[in-house]
Amino acid sequence: MAFKEADYIWMDGEFVAWKDAKIHILSHVVHYGTSVFEGIRAYKTPKGTAIFRLPEHTKRLFNSAKIYRMEIPFTKDELENAMKEAIRKNELESCYIRPLVYRGYDTLGVNPFPCPVKVSIAVWEWGKYLGPEALEKGVDVKVSTWNRMAPNTFPATAKAGANYMNSQLIKMEAITEGYTEGIALDINGWVSEGSGENIFVIIDGIIYTPPLGASVLAGITRDSVMIIAKEMGYDVRESLIPREFLYTADEVFFTGSAAEITPIASVDKIAVGTGKRGPITEKLQKKFFDIVEGGNDPHNWLHYV
Ligand code: PPE
C-alpha cells in the first residue's frame, strides 16, 4: 500500500515538489524522534471539500508542541490556511492531511533546544485505514502483549512521533500473528487503545470508552462519537474497561481520523457479539458519514477549503 503521491508538500511556508520534500540526515528528529503531528481528513461533501474539525486538530498540534517545549514559528491561522491551500494546490477532493512539527538540523546530542522547529504539511488520498471492507465487516484484533506507555513517561495526550514506536510494536505483533490490529492495555491492565485508534465497547445498550487517564490519545473522532451518541439518546460513559469486557461485549469498535468508525469482529479469536458489525455501531457510522460526507453539519465541524 504505497503512497498515492500528491504534487506538492508545504514546508516552512513554501510549496515544494513531493519528491523534493527532504531534510538532512542529521536533523534532530531523525535521531531522537523529536516530532509532534496531526492526522486529519478532508471529505468531499455536496458543498465542496471540507476539513473535519480543523481547529480542534490545530489546537491539539499546538498543545503537543507546548508539552515538548517546541515553539511553532507559525500561528494557528497560518497553519490552517496552509492546510487548505495544500488541498487546493494539489487539487484533491478528499484527502488525509498530515501536519508535522519537528526539530531540524543544527547539532546532535539529546538537548533539542539548539535545533530549529520546522513545519511541514503533506496531503494525499488515503483509503480505508484498516482495509477496504473493514467498515462493513469489521476487523480481527488481538490484545497486545505490549502495554501503552505509563503515565509520566511518554505523555499519551501529546501526539508525538516517538509514541508511535510503542504503536509499531503493537501493530507489528498483531500483523505477524495474522490480525489486522492490536489493542493495548494500560500499565494497570485496563483497556487503553489501538495502535492508532481509540476504542469503544457497547454492553446492554450502554456505550463505554476508556477515560483519558488510561494512557489514551484524546481522540477527536472519540469526542465526536461521544457527542453524536449522546444526541442520539445513548448513555455514554468514560470508564475503566476490564480486558474481559472485550470478549463479552455486544459490540466493540475503533475510532480515529484514519480509521473513522471501524467495527471489531473478533478479539483474540473470540467473536464480538455475532461477529458482525453491530446495530449501534452501524447507526453511529451512518450518522458520522451523514455529517462528514453528507454535509449535514449541525455542530459546524466542517471547514470548507
Ligand atoms: N489513538 C492513537 C494512538 C492514534 O494514533 C489516533 C489517531 C487516535 C487514538 C484517534 O485520534 P483522532 O484521529 O483524533 O480521532 N491516529 C492517527 C494516525 C494513524 C497513522 O497510522 O498514522 C490518525 O488516525 O490520523
Side-chain angles (χ1 to χ4, degrees), residues 106-261:
D106 181 86
T107 180
L108 285 184
V110 169
N111 176 15
F113 285 127
C115 298
V117 177
K118 313 281 271 179
V119 187
S120 69
I121 298 167
V123 294
W124 68 90
E125 279 180 57
W126 206 359
K128 296 305 170 197
Y129 185 59
L130 296 173
E133 296 187 318
L135 263 57
E136 208 188 308
K137 296 212 161 137
V139 291
D140 299 311
V141 309
K142 70 163 290 182
V143 174
S144 187
T145 63
W146 294 100
N147 288 117
R148 214 66 183 120
M149 51 282 204
N152 212 29
T153 58
F154 293 83
T157 62
K159 197 169 170 65
N163 290 355
Y164 289 82
M165 291 303 276
N166 173 262
S167 291
Q168 288 176 54
L169 292 170
I170 295 162
K171 188 81 179 181
M172 288 188 293
E173 179 185 273
I175 289 173
T176 302
E177 296 180 19
Y179 300 89
T180 301
E181 181 57 291
I183 298 170
L185 307 178
D186 72 9
I187 194 69
N188 296 309
W190 303 104
V191 173
S192 178
E193 61 180 351
S195 75
E197 311 88 358
N198 291 113
I199 193 165
F200 286 77
V201 170
I202 305 175
I203 301 166
D204 297 332
I206 299 171
I207 303 176
Y208 301 89
T209 194
L212 298 184
S215 297
V216 303
L217 183 69
I220 288 160
T221 320
R222 172 186 180 275
D223 180 64
S224 309
V225 165
M226 289 198 292
I227 291 170
I228 292 170
K230 281 178 198 161
E231 286 170 358
M232 289 166 75
Y234 292 107
D235 185 351
V236 181
R237 301 184 193 172
E238 289 179 87
S239 154
L240 291 174
I241 297 173
R243 171 178 179 166
E244 60 273 24
F245 280 17
L246 298 171
Y247 308 130
T248 57
D250 303 308
E251 304 180 34
V252 184
F253 62 86
F254 281 136
T255 64
S257 300
E260 300 170 310
I261 299 175

Side-chain angles (χ1 to χ4, degrees), residues 86-103:
I87 295 171
R88 290 193 292 263
K89 180 112 177 149
N90 285 289
E91 298 179 358
L92 292 169
E93 287 191 310
S94 65
C95 64
Y96 186 79
I97 311 167
R98 170 54 57 83
L100 176 75
V101 175
Y102 61 98
R103 293 270 186 188

Side-chain angles (χ1 to χ4, degrees), residues 254-271:
F254 281 136
T255 64
S257 300
E260 300 170 310
I261 299 175
T262 301
I264 294 174
S266 72
V267 182
D268 295 334
K269 301 198 193 281
I270 300 174

Side-chain angles (χ1 to χ4, degrees), residues 279-293:
I280 297 176
T281 307
E282 189 173 353
K283 279 190 198 126
L284 292 169
Q285 277 183 331
K286 212 174 237 160
K287 189 81 202 167
F288 178 78
F289 284 107
D290 184 51
I291 296 171
V292 298
E293 287 178 346

